[in-house]
Amino acid sequence: MVDGRMAEWTWEYDGYDPRTERLREALCTLGNGRFATRGAAPETCASEAHYPGTYVAGLYNRRTTTLAGRDLSHEDIVNLPNWLTLRFRIHPDEGPDGEWFTPDLDIGGLARYRQSLDVRRGVLNRSVRFRDEHGRHLAFEQSRLVHMDDPHLAALTTTFTAEDFSGTIEVESAIDGAVRNTGVSRYRDLESDHLTEMGTGGEDPDIAWLRCLTSASDVRVVMAQRTSFRMGAHDGAAAEAAEGTALTRLTDHRAGHLLTLPIGPGRPVTVEKTVAMHTSRDPAISGPLDAAIRRVRRAPGFEGLLTSHSAAWEYLWDQSGFEVPGETGHILRLHLFHVLQTLSPRHTVELDVGVPARGLHGEAYRGHVFWDELFVLPYLNLHFPELSKSLMTYRHRRLPEACRAATAAGYEGAMYPWQSGSDGREETPEVHLNPRSGRWLPDNSHLQHHVGSAVAYNVWRYGQATGDAEFVHTGGAEMLLEIARFWASIATWDADHERYRIRGVVGPDEYHEGYPEAAKPGLDDNAYTNVTAAWVLARALDLTRTLPVSRRSELFERLALTPEERDRWEDVSRRLRVPFHQGVISQFEGYGDLRELDWDGYRDRYGDIRRLDRILESEGDTVNRYQASKQADVVMLGYLFAPDELAELFQRLGYTLDDAVWRRTVDHYLTRTSHGSTLSGVVHAWVLARSHHEAAWTHLKDALASDVADLQGGTTEEGIHLGAMAGTLDLVQRGLAGLQTREGALWLDPAPVPELAEFGFSVRHHGTAVRVRAKPGQLWIGVPDWEESPVRVVLAGRAFDLEPGQERVLPLPEQG
């Protein structure tokens, strides 16, 4: 299924292939929630094969680019100075000096090149043995970490061993500030210089520092490094002071040390590099330069850092662990690893950040926040609820901006942006590049107003999973009510249909941005948008009835929420239009009138047609003409809502949705979807698990392999797909187990696929730990004896209470 050899907790890559290095760098990124660094080789710089990158969560900068006579403003996550830089060359006692080592130059002499990602401890190891151009053999072992306990520290240790020569090795350890945002080829026409006012200095013989400023957001960033060396291996065995020299080297954009170290057979030498990073946004510091110098000066050596770092990771695994056998389990561990180092329960909770769609692993999507929290928070709710609340607080802090956006568009309430960055304004670009045709095209994805429903959905589900009434009744209520107000405002009455309609939007499909030949973008009555809008309005009304009286009065007064407005919400929530055609739910009004696509013909001509929109545009055509979807749209409703919930929601709207209609609908779109998004596999596997086991397993395999095998063809190297990774975890936790949290109880309705009928996990429901294990034919559920409260469980219509220390084994139907 994937590239890379796997042990239980490691991913190993043998050999050096410049064509796949950028993919490995993304998959081997290390982070701690505050910042992350791609898994680039320390001796490399940005090139076609490599892209070192370090990103601080929530650190953006705005630039303006002139394209085709238009000034385009764009906000990007900032690629910060490269702290990894460590290169070396051989100076033998006899013979010519060697060149600076790079795997690209020495690929013919590489006898061993192995990378190993230890996800259990969060360490990236590298083992290299090479022969230089003069026939001399040198080996080195290298390990790095981005510290999970102290979120400002990172470290790199390298042990060099000379096999058949004596002399010295020259090592440069530096922080390189000559970096730009060039990690995504599609963005290379955009302004990419984000750092200015570069300065360097030295402090003590072994400390050097570099500081810089983001050009528009005015954030000062400081990195300070401490470089040390000793004779012996990095584990401290037989270590002694090396008889080497170290010189501090400073330029305008580079700060570091140049080491000259004796080396020979039986005399290995170890170089350790410890880096501290602070920004002017950090709390409890007098300034970033002083803080970085002080922190790196008092940091322990690599082994000491590794001890505390490993302990922090052990805690995270204990809190979030699951049991899934085989290759599937190995991939899920990698997915969980990347979720936890992008959104760290230890450090992200302290920050004002959202869920970056591509992690902190690259520059794709410019580091922006989309709707991916819809796929991430359901997992976090049941393991790290404080983290979920922090990520929703990011949205709450930007509620005023969402309200301003709605007002500017002529609506009421809150209109959240499709792409969000630092301050919550709409960051969706006005144009995007089709790399197949080379043309810049209008980007109308800002019309995906359904992102507001995702925000509201996350608030409601969080409250059900955690019982955190305080958040739901305060910041959560404010968001939910303002989003409901927006939907009621944008809906217009159509007397001909005797229904409310929502016009001029784009649904989750994303391919369809308008009608063929239409002068303006947007679609009418996107089913997903309308149904989720009705759900938001219904939940907002529920909330207004259940809020404590004092909070209700205060909130109604502050929001000027009148009985007449609530009456309109009730009316709209029951009379929004949902179009149908040929006995299935229409993706939007007029979808059934579009042409059918020759799917087999396009697959024969192009092979991979995931990005069918780009293919058609390059031919002078448009996907707007065809019944063809990029990813789940109508089918997304089956991902968000259990079958009984969805049926009740349609009934509220005055429509009948029985199993036959839903199955026809799913089948209809299944044959008309190109799966051009990594999220598509997650959603389809979830929805199909109850009825089409073989198809569900196929989509689950695609979701699992989407990043590790780069199924999208070159996108993962620009950043992992965080929503898909978290979605696969939640697919096991909630999808296959049929787990829901509602009405104060834990509901279970298992739907395991035969290929994954055995799994286990632990969750927290309203603060109480619950363990679930599934095997063919049975489900085990228990509450640990150290807990204090019982848990209400509902399975197959039967409700029972599990007291602490109790467990139940329940029969399940065998899977065919």
Side-chain angles (χ1 to χ4, degrees):
M1 181 187 293
V2 298
D3 177 33
R5 295 190 298 117
M6 298 177 294
E8 186 176 2
W9 288 93
T10 62
W11 281 76
E12 293 187 357
Y13 297 93
D14 280 329
Y16 176 78
D17 184 351
R19 297 170 300 179
T20 61
E21 276 298 297
R22 282 194 173 206
L23 172 61
R24 295 184 186 183
E25 290 170 359
L27 293 174
C28 293
T29 294
L30 299 180
N32 57 26
R34 187 174 289 268
F35 78 97
T37 297
R38 286 167 58 89
E43 66 275 2
T44 64
C45 56
S47 66
E48 289 301 313
H50 299 280
Y51 193 71
T54 292
Y55 310 95
V56 166
L59 180 50
Y60 299 96
N61 191 61
R62 192 174 299 280
R63 295 299 310 268
T64 299
T65 297
T66 301
L67 281 176
R70 301 171 63 186
D71 289 338
L72 303 176
S73 175
H74 51 95
E75 186 177 65
D76 305 82
I77 193 169
V78 180
N79 182 21
L80 294 176
N82 180 19
W83 67 266
L84 276 175
T85 303
L86 190 137
R87 60 177 184 160
F88 62 89
R89 60 184 175 183
I90 297 170
H91 291 295
D93 290 338
E94 297 180 1
D97 291 344
E99 299 291 331
W100 292 106
F101 170 80
T102 69
D104 307 79
L105 292 176
D106 295 281
I107 190 168
L110 285 174
R112 180 178 69 249
Y113 193 90
R114 179 177 302 128
Q115 294 165 291
S116 176
L117 177 63
D118 179 349
V119 300
R120 185 163 200 161
R121 299 193 302 167
V123 176
L124 178 60
N125 301 301
R126 192 166 65 129
S127 178
V128 179
R129 179 177 179 267
F130 75 98
R131 182 186 69 253
D132 75 359
E133 64 272 27
H134 303 291
R136 298 169 299 222
H137 291 83
L138 182 75
F140 62 90
E141 303 290 327
Q142 199 166 60
S143 298
R144 76 177 72 163
L145 58 84
V146 173
H147 209 265
M148 186 55 82
D149 188 49
D150 187 327
H152 300 282
L153 290 177
L156 173 72
T157 183
T158 310
T159 297
F160 299 96
T161 302
E163 297 183 3
D164 51 15
F165 71 93
S166 295
T168 59
I169 183 171
E170 188 177 34
V171 180
E172 183 190 24
S173 169
I175 303 169
D176 182 11
V179 298
R180 302 164 62 211
N181 275 46
T182 59
V184 180
S185 60
R186 299 184 303 283
Y187 305 161
R188 288 180 183 172
D189 288 340
L190 303 178
E191 293 291 340
S192 58
D193 294 312
H194 292 281
L195 302 177
T196 186
E197 296 188 23
M198 203 78 63
T200 60
E203 192 83 13
D204 301 337
D206 58 349
I207 295 177
W209 53 263
L210 180 147
R211 64 183 175 191
C212 56
L213 186 73
T214 56
S215 61
S217 52
D218 202 31
V219 178
R220 188 160 299 280
V221 179
V222 178
M223 294 183 182
Q225 74 167 38
R226 184 187 70 205
T227 305
S228 61
F229 54 90
R230 64 177 183 273
M231 302 299 294
H234 70 274
D235 61 5
E240 59 185 61
E243 298 174 359
T245 61
L247 299 175
T248 300
R249 297 184 64 179
L250 305 174
T251 68
D252 291 342
H253 62 268
R254 196 177 181 98
H257 302 95
L258 186 65
L259 314 178
T260 304
L261 308 173
I263 195 169
R267 291 188 297 149
V269 63
T270 295
V271 177
E272 287 192 4
K273 178 179 186 176
T274 307
V275 174
M277 177 165 56
H278 275 279
T279 79
S280 52
R281 291 179 174 176
D282 293 341
I285 61 172
S286 61
L289 177 58
D290 175 70
I293 292 172
R294 293 178 63 207
R295 190 174 295 273
V296 79
R297 180 181 286 146
R298 64 174 181 255
F302 189 89
E303 287 302 313
L305 289 172
L306 180 60
T307 298
S308 53
H309 171 73
S310 300
W313 267 109
E314 183 178 3
Y315 170 80
L316 293 179
W317 288 115
D318 286 345
Q319 295 298 306
S320 56
F322 59 91
E323 300 170 14
V324 177
E327 183 183 22
T328 298
H330 290 129
I331 298 174
L332 288 172
R333 287 190 191 92
L334 180 71
H335 287 184
L336 181 53
F337 173 74
H338 284 301
V339 171
L340 292 177
Q341 63 177 0
T342 302
L343 304 170
S344 166
R346 300 178 68 91
H347 307 301
T348 304
V349 292
E350 304 170 357
L351 306 177
D352 177 30
V353 297
V355 176
R358 304 301 287 273
L360 299 174
H361 298 59
E363 295 157 17
Y365 299 167
R366 302 183 178 92
H368 292 165
V369 176
F370 292 68
W371 70 329
D372 296 73
E373 63 226 58
L374 189 64
F375 300 86
V376 176
L377 265 58
Y379 177 82
L380 297 179
N381 288 343
L382 296 170
H383 296 276
F384 305 104
E386 289 300 316
L387 177 55
S388 288
K389 181 163 68 174
S390 172
L391 297 168
M392 287 185 292
T393 300
Y394 165 87
R395 294 293 194 180
H396 182 247
R397 292 190 181 105
R398 287 150 184 82
L399 178 61
E401 181 63 32
C403 292
R404 284 190 288 269
T407 300
Y411 305 120
E412 299 177 1
M415 186 174 76
Y416 274 94
W418 177 239
Q419 295 190 33
S420 179
S422 58
D423 58 13
R425 76 181 82 171
E426 180 61 79
E427 299 294 350
T428 300
E430 296 179 33
V431 294
H432 67 273
L433 176 69
N434 181 356
R436 184 177 287 272
S437 69
R439 287 188 284 267
W440 287 91
L441 308 167
D443 190 331
N444 298 308
S445 58
H446 65 279
L447 296 174
Q448 292 193 70
H449 299 316
H450 63 81
V451 65
S453 292
V455 174
Y457 182 91
N458 288 328
V459 168
W460 189 262
R461 294 304 194 202
Y462 167 81
Q464 291 183 316
T466 65
D468 184 358
E470 180 182 2
F471 176 80
V472 173
H473 291 168
T474 53
E478 292 168 11
M479 288 188 284
L480 184 57
L481 297 181
E482 291 288 17
I483 294 166
R485 174 174 271 170
F486 169 75
W487 285 129
S489 170
I490 197 174
T492 58
W493 177 253
D494 186 322
D496 291 338
H497 290 91
E498 296 186 335
R499 287 276 180 177
Y500 288 98
R501 307 183 69 183
I502 297 177
R503 301 175 183 268
V505 301
V506 172
D509 159 39
E510 291 187 328
Y511 273 177
H512 295 91
E513 295 185 331
Y515 291 101
E517 316 305 333
K520 295 176 63 175
L523 304 163
D524 299 337
D525 295 327
N526 172 257
Y528 175 86
T529 300
N530 286 15
V531 171
T532 56
W535 181 88
V536 170
L537 288 161
R539 298 293 77 75
L541 289 166
D542 288 345
L543 186 61
T544 61
R545 300 181 187 110
T546 57
L547 280 170
V549 174
S550 59
R551 173 59 180 159
R552 184 189 315 159
S553 299
E554 186 269 335
L555 193 59
F556 284 9
E557 182 178 354
R558 187 151 60 82
L559 299 183
L561 186 59
T562 65
E564 292 75 18
E565 186 172 8
R566 298 197 301 277
D567 289 343
R568 177 176 169 82
W569 291 8
E570 181 76 38
D571 194 37
V572 174
S573 74
R574 295 182 179 276
R575 303 180 74 180
L576 269 168
R577 184 164 186 266
V578 179
F580 287 77
H581 74 279
Q582 298 176 5
V584 303
I585 303 168
S586 296
Q587 186 169 306
F588 50 83
E589 175 65 27
Y591 175 89
D593 298 328
L594 300 180
R595 302 175 189 173
E596 291 286 3
L597 183 78
D598 180 7
W599 290 89
D600 291 337
Y602 270 88
R603 289 192 179 97
D604 290 342
R605 289 165 59 189
Y606 292 98
D608 185 352
I609 60 170
R610 286 182 175 89
R611 291 312 306 263
L612 183 63
D613 57 333
R614 293 175 176 173
I615 292 173
L616 289 169
E617 192 279 330
S618 70
E619 295 180 341
D621 203 348
T622 172
V623 75
N624 286 330
R625 300 181 188 275
Y626 301 97
Q627 295 186 37
S629 300
K630 176 184 176 182
Q631 58 186 318
D633 194 298
V634 174
V635 178
M636 264 293 296
L637 295 171
Y639 178 80
L640 295 185
F641 305 111
D644 60 327
E645 285 184 295
L646 190 57
E648 289 174 8
L649 188 51
F650 270 73
Q651 184 179 24
R652 179 186 178 89
L653 285 165
Y655 298 101
T656 298
L657 181 66
D658 56 24
D659 288 343
V661 172
W662 179 246
R663 289 197 180 200
R664 284 199 306 270
T665 298
V666 172
D667 290 342
H668 179 86
Y669 291 103
L670 190 60
T671 60
R672 294 167 174 82
T673 302
S674 70
H675 306 292
S677 165
T678 57
L679 296 172
S680 193
V682 173
V683 174
H684 281 89
W686 184 296
V687 172
L688 294 171
R690 298 190 175 277
S691 57
H692 300 71
H693 292 147
E694 184 175 348
W697 177 240
T698 297
H699 288 291
L700 176 54
K701 287 192 298 182
D702 283 348
L704 290 168
S706 59
D707 273 332
V708 294
D710 194 18
L711 294 186
Q712 296 289 329
T715 63
T716 300
E717 67 179 42
E718 303 166 349
I720 54 95
H721 298 82
L722 195 68
M725 286 190 168
T728 59
L729 299 168
D730 193 41
L731 179 56
V732 174
Q733 173 181 272
R734 292 194 309 129
L736 301 186
L739 187 151
Q740 300 176 63
T741 52
R742 54 178 179 168
E743 301 172 19
L746 202 64
W747 295 59
L748 290 163
D749 184 15
V753 296
E755 295 84 353
L756 191 53
E758 186 171 340
F759 55 85
F761 55 84
S762 299
V763 298
R764 300 198 70 83
H765 180 252
H766 290 209
T768 298
V770 182
R771 293 172 174 169
V772 179
R773 303 289 182 269
K775 292 183 178 181
Q778 70 175 37
L779 181 79
W780 178 95
I781 183 169
V783 175
D785 56 11
W786 65 76
E787 291 291 352
E788 298 180 354
S789 303
V791 171
R792 186 76 167 169
V793 178
V794 180
L795 177 67
R798 293 182 299 143
F800 54 89
D801 292 322
L802 273 180
E803 299 288 340
Q806 284 189 331
E807 60 185 52
R808 295 278 293 269
V809 178
L810 306 165
L812 297 177
E814 294 287 345
Q815 298 294 316

